Amino acid sequence: MPDGASDQTVLVGVDGSDSATRAVTWAARYALDRRLPLRLVHAFAWPDSTFDPNAVLARRVAHTSVGEQYRDDLIRHAEQDLATAVAAAREVAPGLEVHHEVVTGAPTEVLLAESAQALVTVVGSRGRGGFAGLLLGSVAVAVATRAHCPVVVVRGEPPFRTDAPVLVGFDPAASGDGALDFAFDVAAARWVPVEVLYAWRDEYSVPDADDTGDVVEAGRSLLAEHLDARRARHPDVEVRELIVSDRPARALIDRSATAQLVVVGSRGRAGVAAALGSVSHALIHHAACPVAVVPRAGG
């Protein structure tokens, strides 16, 4: 566990959707593995929130009896959604410490602010209400690139496998070694192998059969530089090196069918689209299992 992790939580965005419930289920098991509390947050925009895109219209009813009743109804439904989420978490992890709160504000901004106290932020692959459009618009991209901690987008259906390997895309340019560290930590907690995939073709390269051997050997040397310390730190974790002549996104999506989690880095550069990168973007839309996007330290 990283230094200071005992003061952190596993944060989950809740909105009452089935997808959010799946995120809670995954996060509860992760929190149990790390011996950390789970924090469930339900966010919705209201006139008091500066992030409300319909603030002008909403203020017209905010101080009427209709507006007050509507706000009360929103809060009541949010509390019911949280109660359902708490029950789902405790079904997976009895005895887990669970905190929950209804927060006024735009979901993206709420999650980003809350992520400063989280070890990891977990969201579902689809949403409704406050977290609607997580993967269909800019919200997922913004959270995955701007959060203060790794973000896990939970794809697939429960029960989630905990016996399959953890797959990590090797790209030091994306997140330094943060993605490797995250993958090894999860694998060590669950006693499963780590599969480190290095795909050396890009969108424009044309493989030359005469150069393949040299490229593979160079890939092995590069992997060794980054894996030796982690093998020493986690001697009980089996490491499988996969060096493939394929585009990274396609190779990781294909391999995700046999993994319990796929881990990639975000580049941490200025600009949301550039920071997430095409590989991370493709995975959070198409992977067959949950996806962790790990930011570059200080990025």
Side-chain angles (χ1 to χ4, degrees):
M1 181 180 300
D3 293 341
S6 59
D7 297 326
Q8 295 176 313
T9 63
V10 175
L11 172 68
V12 190
V14 173
D15 66 0
S17 66
D18 291 341
S19 182
T21 301
R22 291 192 288 270
V24 169
T25 299
W26 189 94
R29 177 57 190 265
Y30 181 85
L32 187 65
D33 289 342
R34 303 305 296 261
R35 296 183 175 86
L36 290 176
L38 188 68
R39 176 164 171 76
L40 310 177
V41 174
H42 194 305
F44 66 90
W46 190 249
D48 295 335
S49 169
T50 59
F51 305 110
D52 184 6
N54 300 308
V56 175
L57 175 62
R59 286 192 181 97
R60 294 177 182 174
V61 299
H63 302 295
T64 67
S65 58
V66 174
E68 292 173 358
Q69 181 61 49
Y70 179 61
R71 187 177 190 278
D72 290 344
D73 288 344
L74 286 176
I75 293 174
R76 185 174 67 256
H77 285 300
E79 290 173 343
Q80 291 171 350
D81 291 340
L82 284 172
T84 300
V86 170
R90 289 183 171 150
E91 182 176 353
V92 173
L96 180 67
E97 182 180 351
V98 181
H99 305 278
H100 53 89
E101 184 176 2
V102 178
V103 180
T104 302
T108 300
E109 303 304 330
V110 168
L111 286 175
L112 291 174
E114 293 266 349
S115 72
Q117 287 77 47
L119 180 68
V120 64
T121 297
V122 185
V123 294
S125 60
R126 297 184 184 276
R128 76 179 190 199
F131 289 94
L134 262 172
L135 290 184
L136 303 180
S138 62
V139 177
V141 175
V143 172
T145 56
R146 294 166 52 202
H148 300 278
C149 63
V151 174
V152 176
V153 178
V154 177
R155 297 184 54 80
E157 299 287 337
F160 295 105
R161 295 184 61 183
T162 57
D163 58 344
V166 174
L167 174 66
V168 55
F170 178 68
D171 179 7
S175 64
D177 286 332
L180 285 175
D181 290 333
F182 189 91
F184 270 83
D185 286 345
V186 174
R190 297 187 176 178
W191 297 90
V192 298
V194 169
E195 294 186 340
V196 185
L197 189 148
Y198 177 45
W200 55 268
R201 280 185 62 187
D202 59 31
E203 295 295 329
Y204 309 104
S205 65
V206 178
D208 188 327
D210 294 336
D211 296 334
T212 298
D214 291 340
V215 171
V216 170
E217 188 58 35
R220 286 181 180 145
S221 297
L222 185 59
L223 281 173
E225 293 177 13
H226 291 265
L227 292 178
D228 285 350
R230 284 156 190 84
R231 291 181 193 269
R233 192 180 309 149
H234 299 285
D236 295 327
V237 174
E238 177 188 350
V239 181
R240 302 171 182 171
E241 299 179 19
L242 308 173
I243 302 176
V244 298
S245 172
D246 200 353
R247 295 176 176 86
R250 184 168 63 186
L252 288 166
I253 290 171
D254 289 346
R255 193 76 183 182
S256 70
T258 58
Q260 65 167 281
L261 176 70
V262 56
V263 185
V264 290
S266 62
R267 296 184 178 276
R269 299 196 303 255
V272 172
L276 185 61
S278 60
V279 174
S280 305
H281 192 270
L283 283 164
I284 65 174
H285 285 82
H286 301 296
C289 66
V291 178
V293 179
V294 180
R296 174 182 284 278

